[in-house]
Every structure is written in C-alpha cells, then in structure tokens.
Amino acid sequence: MLCFHVAGLLFKRCTLLLPTRERLKFIHKIISEISCFKLCGCPSPSQCLGLFCYGAFLKILTAGWDELECHRVYIFLCDLTNLPRKMQSVVSSKPGSSYKLELRVRLFCRHVLLDHWTHRTDSAFWLTRLLKPWPMVNQARLLYILFGPVSTIDGHISWLKMTEGLADENSLKGLADAIKLLYDTESKEWTADDVISLVDELSVVPHEWLLENNARLLILSGNSICFTFMASKAVNGRTADLGRMVVFLALVCEKDLYCMDWAVKMMQRICKVFSTQQERKTFLQNVENSFARVIMDLLQSVISGGHNEEDSSFLNLFHLVNAQANFHKEILYLTLNATSV
C-alpha cells in the first residue's frame, strides 16, 4: 500500500506543470498495464488489494485539486471503466440477478472513490458524483449496493436482510453514515428534503423494510435526520405511520440499550409540529393504539408459531412489553417533573 502512496506522490510531482487532461493520459497508461486496477479486471476482487491500492494512488494524486479538476477525474474514470453503464445495469435489473457485477461496482466505488478520504467534504463530493446523475429510486438502489449489508458467506449484497429479518447496527452503519454524510455536507447539491426523500425511498429497497430495521436506521442516522424524517410525515398527515414508528423507535431503544427518554423527547418534538391540539391528540392516540396492536400481533405469533418461531416471537414480545413500560415510565417522570416546578 505504501508503494502506491509513494508512486502517487512521485507522479504528482513529476506532472505538476502539466494540465489535468495530460496528467490523466499518463494515468491511463499506468492503469491499462494493471488488470487489478480495472473494474472487471480481477478474477477475485473480494480477495484482491488492487482496487484499494488504486484508490490510495488516486487520493495522493488528487489531494489539493479543486472540484472542477476532481470532476474531470471522475469523468475520466467513467469513460475508462464504463462505470455509468454498469451502474445502470445493476440499478435497473432485478436485485441479485447480477450479483457479481453488483459486487464489482460496490468494490470499485468504495475502494477507489470513497473509502480513502479523511475529510467528509471529499467523501461527500465523490458520493455525490456517483448518486446525483440518477433519479431518486435509482439513487436509493445504488446507495444500498454501495453501503448495504453483505452476506457473510460469499460477500454478495444481502437484498432480503431488511425485508425478511432483523438487521443489527453493523448491517446498517454503512447506510447511516452515508446518509449523515449527505445531510451534513456543506454542498448545495443536497437539500434536507433530498436526503429525507432518499431515506424514504431506501426503506422500500428492494421491498418494504421491517419497521424495526427502519427505526434502527433512523436512530443511527442521528437526531436531525430522524426528526426531519418524522416531521415530514407529520406535515403530510401520516399520523398512523408516525404512531407505529414511535413504537419501533422505543423497541430499538430497549433492545440496543439506548436511553428511552430519547424516544419520548422525540415524540414531544413531533407533537410540536402539529398545528392543533386535536392533531396532537390523534397522534398520541395512534401511538397507544400501535403499541396495543403490535403487542397483540406478536402474542398471536407466539400462540400460533412453531417452536423456533415461537422463541423468536416471545423474545420480541418480551422486549416490546418492556419497551412500552419504560417508555411510559419516562413520560410519567416528565409529567411529575413538570408539575413539581
């Protein structure tokens, strides 16, 4: 790895007086000689360090370049690798049908363009280059390919992880970090509405996620994103969806050992979004109805399920009942503190 760092620095100094276009021509001469630097050149990309070394070389070479020059580098890489066409193929085909190409696109984008940067603005710039040319539905699909969970067996994208099973923090951390990166960037290319729409679209890739996975992603994405996401639903009158989301935020707090008062305070903030007292009452009633409905659904699953399913459902029921108790305990504490002031 160090040798590619040194090579990038040497190349940068040797071509210092040349325009960017000429520098890129020299890069092409180097890349064309190394098959593992190509998007589809290595037979075993998961075990190969070629793309990672290429990324280290590229980072040193472009360090200090302005956005216009870096944009030219991106266009050069797209022309060299036919990256847009390959991304078009993976975002428009059935999830998992092109699993080898999905993995190659993920590894190339992550190892060459995204993973080496120490400054968030640099990471945001390259991630924006990858996502922005596509419509929102394709942006969400591509984001999942780049940062979604992968199989521990073969390293391929786990498309059913969010829809058929519960995802832990490690499975969601990459997606959450990418969402925060786009939300926090100073670039004018992403508005808060853009990022929230992307999160909303992501939650149905490839099909609608389990609500617990959705809630865990929102918590990992941070307070601002979680609140803005839920506030947008409040503004649009989706109080039933909000009620269920509060239940699962509380459940994730219980399971993952987060402070339950966070979920209660988030609910308080959402209440302030509503303009009338009646809307607030309707929202709170939906929260309580959702607690009851989800508990009854899990109880029914325990009663009717097989042995393994029954164990899983019973554990979820146990966590949910505790979550409800701790959630209401925090509400009582807040009420008591308010009346004693």
Short mmCIF file of all heavy atoms in Angstrom, two decimals, residues 85-134:
data_model
loop_
_atom_site.label_atom_id
_atom_site.label_comp_id
_atom_site.label_asym_id
_atom_site.label_seq_id
_atom_site.Cartn_x
_atom_site.Cartn_y
_atom_site.Cartn_z
N ARG A 85 -22.63 2.88 -17.28
CA ARG A 85 -23.41 1.82 -17.91
C ARG A 85 -23.54 0.62 -16.99
O ARG A 85 -24.60 -0.01 -16.91
CB ARG A 85 -22.75 1.40 -19.23
CG ARG A 85 -23.55 0.39 -20.02
CD ARG A 85 -22.93 0.13 -21.37
NE ARG A 85 -23.68 -0.88 -22.13
CZ ARG A 85 -23.35 -1.29 -23.34
NH1 ARG A 85 -22.29 -0.77 -23.95
NH2 ARG A 85 -24.08 -2.21 -23.96
N LYS A 86 -22.47 0.32 -16.27
CA LYS A 86 -22.52 -0.81 -15.33
C LYS A 86 -23.44 -0.49 -14.16
O LYS A 86 -24.18 -1.36 -13.67
CB LYS A 86 -21.11 -1.15 -14.86
CG LYS A 86 -20.24 -1.77 -15.97
CD LYS A 86 -18.85 -2.07 -15.48
CE LYS A 86 -18.07 -2.89 -16.50
NZ LYS A 86 -17.91 -2.20 -17.81
N MET A 87 -23.43 0.76 -13.70
CA MET A 87 -24.35 1.15 -12.63
C MET A 87 -25.79 1.09 -13.13
O MET A 87 -26.69 0.66 -12.40
CB MET A 87 -24.01 2.55 -12.12
CG MET A 87 -22.74 2.60 -11.28
SD MET A 87 -22.53 4.14 -10.34
CE MET A 87 -22.24 5.31 -11.65
N GLN A 88 -26.01 1.53 -14.35
CA GLN A 88 -27.35 1.44 -14.94
C GLN A 88 -27.84 0.00 -14.98
O GLN A 88 -29.00 -0.28 -14.68
CB GLN A 88 -27.31 2.01 -16.36
CG GLN A 88 -28.60 1.85 -17.15
CD GLN A 88 -29.73 2.69 -16.60
OE1 GLN A 88 -29.57 3.88 -16.37
NE2 GLN A 88 -30.88 2.08 -16.38
N SER A 89 -26.94 -0.90 -15.27
CA SER A 89 -27.30 -2.32 -15.35
C SER A 89 -27.73 -2.85 -13.99
O SER A 89 -28.75 -3.55 -13.88
CB SER A 89 -26.12 -3.13 -15.88
OG SER A 89 -26.43 -4.50 -15.91
N VAL A 90 -27.00 -2.51 -12.93
CA VAL A 90 -27.31 -3.08 -11.62
C VAL A 90 -28.51 -2.42 -10.95
O VAL A 90 -29.21 -3.06 -10.17
CB VAL A 90 -26.08 -3.04 -10.66
CG1 VAL A 90 -24.96 -3.90 -11.19
CG2 VAL A 90 -25.61 -1.61 -10.43
N VAL A 91 -28.77 -1.13 -11.26
CA VAL A 91 -29.92 -0.48 -10.61
C VAL A 91 -31.23 -0.73 -11.34
O VAL A 91 -32.31 -0.51 -10.79
CB VAL A 91 -29.70 1.05 -10.46
CG1 VAL A 91 -28.51 1.34 -9.59
CG2 VAL A 91 -29.61 1.73 -11.81
N SER A 92 -31.14 -1.21 -12.57
CA SER A 92 -32.36 -1.43 -13.35
C SER A 92 -32.74 -2.91 -13.44
O SER A 92 -33.86 -3.24 -13.82
CB SER A 92 -32.22 -0.85 -14.76
OG SER A 92 -31.14 -1.44 -15.44
N SER A 93 -31.83 -3.80 -13.10
CA SER A 93 -32.14 -5.23 -13.16
C SER A 93 -32.71 -5.71 -11.83
O SER A 93 -32.66 -4.99 -10.83
CB SER A 93 -30.88 -6.03 -13.51
OG SER A 93 -29.86 -5.81 -12.54
N LYS A 94 -33.23 -6.90 -11.80
CA LYS A 94 -33.79 -7.48 -10.58
C LYS A 94 -32.69 -7.62 -9.53
O LYS A 94 -31.60 -8.09 -9.84
CB LYS A 94 -34.41 -8.85 -10.89
CG LYS A 94 -35.07 -9.50 -9.69
CD LYS A 94 -35.66 -10.85 -10.06
CE LYS A 94 -36.28 -11.53 -8.85
NZ LYS A 94 -36.83 -12.86 -9.20
N PRO A 95 -32.94 -7.20 -8.29
CA PRO A 95 -31.91 -7.29 -7.25
C PRO A 95 -31.36 -8.71 -7.11
O PRO A 95 -32.11 -9.67 -6.97
CB PRO A 95 -32.66 -6.87 -5.98
CG PRO A 95 -33.74 -5.98 -6.46
CD PRO A 95 -34.17 -6.55 -7.79
N GLY A 96 -30.04 -8.81 -7.19
CA GLY A 96 -29.37 -10.10 -7.04
C GLY A 96 -29.19 -10.86 -8.33
O GLY A 96 -28.42 -11.83 -8.37
N SER A 97 -29.86 -10.44 -9.40
CA SER A 97 -29.73 -11.18 -10.67
C SER A 97 -28.36 -10.96 -11.30
O SER A 97 -27.87 -11.81 -12.04
CB SER A 97 -30.83 -10.76 -11.64
OG SER A 97 -30.74 -9.38 -11.95
N SER A 98 -27.73 -9.82 -10.99
CA SER A 98 -26.37 -9.54 -11.48
C SER A 98 -25.45 -9.41 -10.28
O SER A 98 -24.75 -8.41 -10.11
CB SER A 98 -26.36 -8.26 -12.32
OG SER A 98 -27.25 -8.34 -13.40
N TYR A 99 -25.44 -10.42 -9.43
CA TYR A 99 -24.76 -10.31 -8.14
C TYR A 99 -23.25 -10.10 -8.28
O TYR A 99 -22.63 -9.40 -7.47
CB TYR A 99 -25.05 -11.53 -7.26
CG TYR A 99 -24.60 -12.85 -7.83
CD1 TYR A 99 -23.34 -13.35 -7.55
CD2 TYR A 99 -25.44 -13.62 -8.63
CE1 TYR A 99 -22.92 -14.58 -8.05
CE2 TYR A 99 -25.04 -14.82 -9.15
CZ TYR A 99 -23.77 -15.30 -8.86
OH TYR A 99 -23.36 -16.51 -9.37
N LYS A 100 -22.64 -10.66 -9.31
CA LYS A 100 -21.20 -10.47 -9.50
C LYS A 100 -20.89 -9.03 -9.88
O LYS A 100 -19.95 -8.42 -9.36
CB LYS A 100 -20.66 -11.43 -10.56
CG LYS A 100 -20.66 -12.89 -10.12
CD LYS A 100 -20.05 -13.78 -11.19
CE LYS A 100 -20.02 -15.24 -10.74
NZ LYS A 100 -19.45 -16.13 -11.78
N LEU A 101 -21.70 -8.47 -10.77
CA LEU A 101 -21.49 -7.08 -11.19
C LEU A 101 -21.83 -6.12 -10.04
O LEU A 101 -21.14 -5.11 -9.86
CB LEU A 101 -22.35 -6.77 -12.42
CG LEU A 101 -22.16 -5.37 -13.02
CD1 LEU A 101 -20.70 -5.14 -13.42
CD2 LEU A 101 -23.08 -5.18 -14.24
N GLU A 102 -22.87 -6.43 -9.27
CA GLU A 102 -23.19 -5.61 -8.09
C GLU A 102 -21.99 -5.51 -7.16
O GLU A 102 -21.64 -4.42 -6.69
CB GLU A 102 -24.38 -6.21 -7.33
CG GLU A 102 -25.72 -6.09 -8.05
CD GLU A 102 -26.82 -6.89 -7.37
OE1 GLU A 102 -26.52 -7.62 -6.40
OE2 GLU A 102 -27.98 -6.79 -7.82
N LEU A 103 -21.35 -6.65 -6.91
CA LEU A 103 -20.20 -6.67 -6.01
C LEU A 103 -19.03 -5.89 -6.60
O LEU A 103 -18.35 -5.14 -5.89
CB LEU A 103 -19.78 -8.11 -5.73
CG LEU A 103 -18.57 -8.29 -4.80
CD1 LEU A 103 -18.85 -7.67 -3.44
CD2 LEU A 103 -18.22 -9.77 -4.66
N ARG A 104 -18.80 -6.03 -7.91
CA ARG A 104 -17.69 -5.31 -8.55
C ARG A 104 -17.92 -3.80 -8.51
O ARG A 104 -16.98 -3.03 -8.26
CB ARG A 104 -17.51 -5.79 -9.99
CG ARG A 104 -16.90 -7.18 -10.10
CD ARG A 104 -16.62 -7.56 -11.54
NE ARG A 104 -16.05 -8.90 -11.66
CZ ARG A 104 -14.76 -9.18 -11.50
NH1 ARG A 104 -13.90 -8.21 -11.21
NH2 ARG A 104 -14.32 -10.42 -11.63
N VAL A 105 -19.15 -3.37 -8.76
CA VAL A 105 -19.46 -1.94 -8.69
C VAL A 105 -19.24 -1.43 -7.27
O VAL A 105 -18.67 -0.36 -7.05
CB VAL A 105 -20.91 -1.67 -9.15
CG1 VAL A 105 -21.35 -0.25 -8.80
CG2 VAL A 105 -21.04 -1.91 -10.65
N ARG A 106 -19.70 -2.18 -6.29
CA ARG A 106 -19.52 -1.80 -4.88
C ARG A 106 -18.04 -1.67 -4.53
O ARG A 106 -17.62 -0.65 -3.96
CB ARG A 106 -20.18 -2.85 -3.98
CG ARG A 106 -20.02 -2.58 -2.48
CD ARG A 106 -20.50 -3.77 -1.68
NE ARG A 106 -20.31 -3.63 -0.25
CZ ARG A 106 -21.26 -3.34 0.64
NH1 ARG A 106 -22.49 -3.13 0.23
NH2 ARG A 106 -20.98 -3.24 1.92
N LEU A 107 -17.25 -2.67 -4.88
CA LEU A 107 -15.84 -2.66 -4.51
C LEU A 107 -15.09 -1.54 -5.22
O LEU A 107 -14.23 -0.87 -4.62
CB LEU A 107 -15.21 -4.02 -4.83
CG LEU A 107 -15.71 -5.20 -3.98
CD1 LEU A 107 -15.08 -6.50 -4.46
CD2 LEU A 107 -15.41 -4.97 -2.50
N PHE A 108 -15.39 -1.34 -6.51
CA PHE A 108 -14.70 -0.28 -7.24
C PHE A 108 -15.03 1.09 -6.65
O PHE A 108 -14.13 1.90 -6.38
CB PHE A 108 -15.09 -0.31 -8.72
CG PHE A 108 -14.35 0.70 -9.56
CD1 PHE A 108 -13.10 0.41 -10.09
CD2 PHE A 108 -14.89 1.96 -9.79
CE1 PHE A 108 -12.40 1.34 -10.84
CE2 PHE A 108 -14.21 2.90 -10.54
CZ PHE A 108 -12.96 2.59 -11.07
N CYS A 109 -16.31 1.36 -6.44
CA CYS A 109 -16.72 2.67 -5.92
C CYS A 109 -16.20 2.90 -4.50
O CYS A 109 -15.72 3.99 -4.17
CB CYS A 109 -18.23 2.80 -5.96
SG CYS A 109 -18.93 2.86 -7.63
N ARG A 110 -16.29 1.88 -3.67
CA ARG A 110 -15.84 2.03 -2.29
C ARG A 110 -14.32 2.15 -2.20
O ARG A 110 -13.78 3.08 -1.59
CB ARG A 110 -16.32 0.84 -1.46
CG ARG A 110 -17.82 0.79 -1.21
CD ARG A 110 -18.27 1.81 -0.18
NE ARG A 110 -17.66 1.59 1.11
CZ ARG A 110 -18.17 0.80 2.06
NH1 ARG A 110 -19.33 0.18 1.84
NH2 ARG A 110 -17.56 0.66 3.22
N HIS A 111 -13.59 1.23 -2.83
CA HIS A 111 -12.14 1.18 -2.67
C HIS A 111 -11.41 2.26 -3.45
O HIS A 111 -10.38 2.77 -3.00
CB HIS A 111 -11.62 -0.19 -3.07
CG HIS A 111 -12.02 -1.28 -2.12
ND1 HIS A 111 -11.78 -2.63 -2.35
CD2 HIS A 111 -12.66 -1.22 -0.93
CE1 HIS A 111 -12.25 -3.33 -1.34
NE2 HIS A 111 -12.80 -2.51 -0.48
N VAL A 112 -11.94 2.62 -4.60
CA VAL A 112 -11.25 3.61 -5.43
C VAL A 112 -11.70 5.03 -5.12
O VAL A 112 -10.87 5.94 -5.02
CB VAL A 112 -11.46 3.30 -6.93
CG1 VAL A 112 -10.80 4.37 -7.81
CG2 VAL A 112 -10.88 1.93 -7.28
N LEU A 113 -13.00 5.24 -4.92
CA LEU A 113 -13.53 6.60 -4.85
C LEU A 113 -13.94 7.07 -3.46
O LEU A 113 -13.96 8.28 -3.21
CB LEU A 113 -14.74 6.72 -5.79
CG LEU A 113 -14.48 6.47 -7.27
CD1 LEU A 113 -15.78 6.50 -8.05
CD2 LEU A 113 -13.50 7.49 -7.82
N LEU A 114 -14.30 6.17 -2.55
CA LEU A 114 -14.98 6.62 -1.33
C LEU A 114 -14.24 6.38 -0.02
O LEU A 114 -14.33 7.20 0.90
CB LEU A 114 -16.36 5.94 -1.24
CG LEU A 114 -17.34 6.25 -2.36
CD1 LEU A 114 -18.59 5.38 -2.24
CD2 LEU A 114 -17.72 7.73 -2.36
N ASP A 115 -13.53 5.28 0.12
CA ASP A 115 -13.06 4.86 1.44
C ASP A 115 -11.77 5.50 1.93
O ASP A 115 -11.42 5.35 3.10
CB ASP A 115 -12.89 3.33 1.47
CG ASP A 115 -14.23 2.60 1.50
OD1 ASP A 115 -15.26 3.28 1.65
OD2 ASP A 115 -14.24 1.37 1.35
N HIS A 116 -11.05 6.20 1.08
CA HIS A 116 -9.72 6.67 1.46
C HIS A 116 -9.71 8.06 2.08
O HIS A 116 -8.72 8.46 2.69
CB HIS A 116 -8.79 6.67 0.24
CG HIS A 116 -8.43 5.31 -0.24
ND1 HIS A 116 -7.39 4.57 0.29
CD2 HIS A 116 -8.98 4.52 -1.20
CE1 HIS A 116 -7.31 3.41 -0.32
NE2 HIS A 116 -8.26 3.35 -1.23
N TRP A 117 -10.78 8.80 1.92
CA TRP A 117 -10.75 10.22 2.28
C TRP A 117 -10.87 10.42 3.79
O TRP A 117 -11.63 9.74 4.46
CB TRP A 117 -11.86 10.97 1.56
CG TRP A 117 -11.79 10.78 0.09
CD1 TRP A 117 -12.59 9.99 -0.69
CD2 TRP A 117 -10.82 11.35 -0.79
NE1 TRP A 117 -12.18 10.04 -2.00
CE2 TRP A 117 -11.10 10.87 -2.10
CE3 TRP A 117 -9.75 12.23 -0.62
CZ2 TRP A 117 -10.35 11.24 -3.20
CZ3 TRP A 117 -9.00 12.59 -1.72
CH2 TRP A 117 -9.30 12.10 -2.99
N THR A 118 -10.10 11.38 4.31
CA THR A 118 -10.16 11.70 5.74
C THR A 118 -11.11 12.86 6.00
O THR A 118 -11.64 12.98 7.11
CB THR A 118 -8.76 12.06 6.27
OG1 THR A 118 -8.18 13.07 5.44
CG2 THR A 118 -7.85 10.84 6.26
N HIS A 119 -11.32 13.72 5.01
CA HIS A 119 -12.24 14.85 5.17
C HIS A 119 -13.61 14.49 4.60
O HIS A 119 -13.73 13.98 3.49
CB HIS A 119 -11.69 16.09 4.46
CG HIS A 119 -10.37 16.56 5.00
ND1 HIS A 119 -10.22 17.06 6.27
CD2 HIS A 119 -9.14 16.59 4.43
CE1 HIS A 119 -8.97 17.38 6.48
NE2 HIS A 119 -8.27 17.10 5.37
N ARG A 120 -14.64 14.79 5.38
CA ARG A 120 -16.00 14.43 4.98
C ARG A 120 -16.44 15.13 3.70
O ARG A 120 -17.21 14.57 2.92
CB ARG A 120 -16.98 14.77 6.12
CG ARG A 120 -16.81 13.88 7.35
CD ARG A 120 -17.66 14.34 8.50
NE ARG A 120 -19.07 14.34 8.20
CZ ARG A 120 -19.85 13.27 8.23
NH1 ARG A 120 -19.34 12.09 8.54
NH2 ARG A 120 -21.13 13.36 7.96
N THR A 121 -15.94 16.35 3.48
CA THR A 121 -16.31 17.06 2.27
C THR A 121 -15.81 16.34 1.02
O THR A 121 -16.50 16.34 -0.02
CB THR A 121 -15.74 18.49 2.29
OG1 THR A 121 -14.33 18.44 2.58
CG2 THR A 121 -16.45 19.34 3.34
N ASP A 122 -14.64 15.71 1.12
CA ASP A 122 -14.12 14.94 -0.02
C ASP A 122 -14.97 13.71 -0.27
O ASP A 122 -15.33 13.41 -1.42
CB ASP A 122 -12.66 14.52 0.24
CG ASP A 122 -11.70 15.70 0.25
OD1 ASP A 122 -11.92 16.65 -0.53
OD2 ASP A 122 -10.76 15.68 1.05
N SER A 123 -15.31 13.01 0.80
CA SER A 123 -16.16 11.82 0.66
C SER A 123 -17.51 12.18 0.07
O SER A 123 -18.04 11.48 -0.80
CB SER A 123 -16.34 11.15 2.02
OG SER A 123 -15.11 10.76 2.58
N ALA A 124 -18.07 13.30 0.56
CA ALA A 124 -19.38 13.75 0.06
C ALA A 124 -19.31 14.11 -1.42
O ALA A 124 -20.25 13.84 -2.18
CB ALA A 124 -19.87 14.94 0.88
N PHE A 125 -18.22 14.71 -1.84
CA PHE A 125 -18.07 15.09 -3.24
C PHE A 125 -18.13 13.87 -4.14
O PHE A 125 -18.88 13.84 -5.13
CB PHE A 125 -16.72 15.82 -3.45
CG PHE A 125 -16.38 16.03 -4.89
CD1 PHE A 125 -16.91 17.09 -5.60
CD2 PHE A 125 -15.54 15.14 -5.56
CE1 PHE A 125 -16.61 17.28 -6.95
CE2 PHE A 125 -15.22 15.33 -6.90
CZ PHE A 125 -15.75 16.39 -7.61
N TRP A 126 -17.36 12.83 -3.81
CA TRP A 126 -17.32 11.64 -4.67
C TRP A 126 -18.61 10.84 -4.60
O TRP A 126 -19.07 10.31 -5.62
CB TRP A 126 -16.12 10.77 -4.28
CG TRP A 126 -14.81 11.41 -4.63
CD1 TRP A 126 -13.96 12.06 -3.78
CD2 TRP A 126 -14.23 11.52 -5.93
NE1 TRP A 126 -12.88 12.55 -4.47
CE2 TRP A 126 -13.01 12.23 -5.80
CE3 TRP A 126 -14.61 11.08 -7.20
CZ2 TRP A 126 -12.19 12.52 -6.88
CZ3 TRP A 126 -13.78 11.35 -8.28
CH2 TRP A 126 -12.59 12.06 -8.11
N LEU A 127 -19.23 10.77 -3.42
CA LEU A 127 -20.51 10.06 -3.31
C LEU A 127 -21.59 10.80 -4.10
O LEU A 127 -22.44 10.17 -4.75
CB LEU A 127 -20.92 9.94 -1.84
CG LEU A 127 -22.23 9.18 -1.56
CD1 LEU A 127 -22.19 7.78 -2.17
CD2 LEU A 127 -22.50 9.10 -0.06
N THR A 128 -21.53 12.13 -4.08
CA THR A 128 -22.49 12.92 -4.86
C THR A 128 -22.32 12.67 -6.35
O THR A 128 -23.31 12.57 -7.10
CB THR A 128 -22.32 14.41 -4.55
OG1 THR A 128 -22.57 14.63 -3.16
CG2 THR A 128 -23.28 15.26 -5.37
N ARG A 129 -21.07 12.56 -6.80
CA ARG A 129 -20.83 12.28 -8.22
C ARG A 129 -21.47 10.94 -8.63
O ARG A 129 -22.00 10.79 -9.73
CB ARG A 129 -19.32 12.21 -8.51
CG ARG A 129 -18.52 13.47 -8.18
CD ARG A 129 -18.69 14.58 -9.19
NE ARG A 129 -19.97 15.24 -9.15
CZ ARG A 129 -20.34 16.10 -8.20
NH1 ARG A 129 -19.54 16.39 -7.20
NH2 ARG A 129 -21.53 16.67 -8.24
N LEU A 130 -21.43 9.98 -7.72
CA LEU A 130 -21.98 8.66 -8.03
C LEU A 130 -23.51 8.66 -8.05
O LEU A 130 -24.13 8.00 -8.89
CB LEU A 130 -21.49 7.63 -7.02
CG LEU A 130 -20.00 7.28 -7.06
CD1 LEU A 130 -19.60 6.49 -5.82
CD2 LEU A 130 -19.67 6.48 -8.32
N LEU A 131 -24.13 9.42 -7.13
CA LEU A 131 -25.58 9.33 -6.95
C LEU A 131 -26.38 10.32 -7.78
O LEU A 131 -27.45 9.98 -8.31
CB LEU A 131 -25.93 9.53 -5.47
CG LEU A 131 -25.42 8.50 -4.47
CD1 LEU A 131 -25.87 8.88 -3.07
CD2 LEU A 131 -25.91 7.11 -4.82
N LYS A 132 -25.90 11.54 -7.89
CA LYS A 132 -26.72 12.62 -8.42
C LYS A 132 -27.19 12.44 -9.88
O LYS A 132 -28.27 12.94 -10.22
CB LYS A 132 -25.97 13.96 -8.29
CG LYS A 132 -26.29 14.71 -7.01
CD LYS A 132 -27.79 15.04 -6.92
CE LYS A 132 -28.13 15.81 -5.67
NZ LYS A 132 -29.56 16.14 -5.59
N PRO A 133 -26.45 11.76 -10.75
CA PRO A 133 -26.96 11.63 -12.12
C PRO A 133 -28.23 10.81 -12.23
O PRO A 133 -28.89 10.84 -13.27
CB PRO A 133 -25.80 10.94 -12.86
CG PRO A 133 -24.58 11.22 -12.05
CD PRO A 133 -25.06 11.25 -10.64
N TRP A 134 -28.61 10.07 -11.17
CA TRP A 134 -29.72 9.12 -11.26
C TRP A 134 -30.98 9.68 -10.61
O TRP A 134 -30.91 10.49 -9.69
CB TRP A 134 -29.33 7.80 -10.57
CG TRP A 134 -28.04 7.25 -11.08
CD1 TRP A 134 -26.81 7.33 -10.49
CD2 TRP A 134 -27.83 6.55 -12.31
NE1 TRP A 134 -25.86 6.73 -11.26
CE2 TRP A 134 -26.45 6.24 -12.40
CE3 TRP A 134 -28.67 6.15 -13.35
CZ2 TRP A 134 -25.91 5.56 -13.47
CZ3 TRP A 134 -28.13 5.48 -14.42
CH2 TRP A 134 -26.76 5.18 -14.47
#
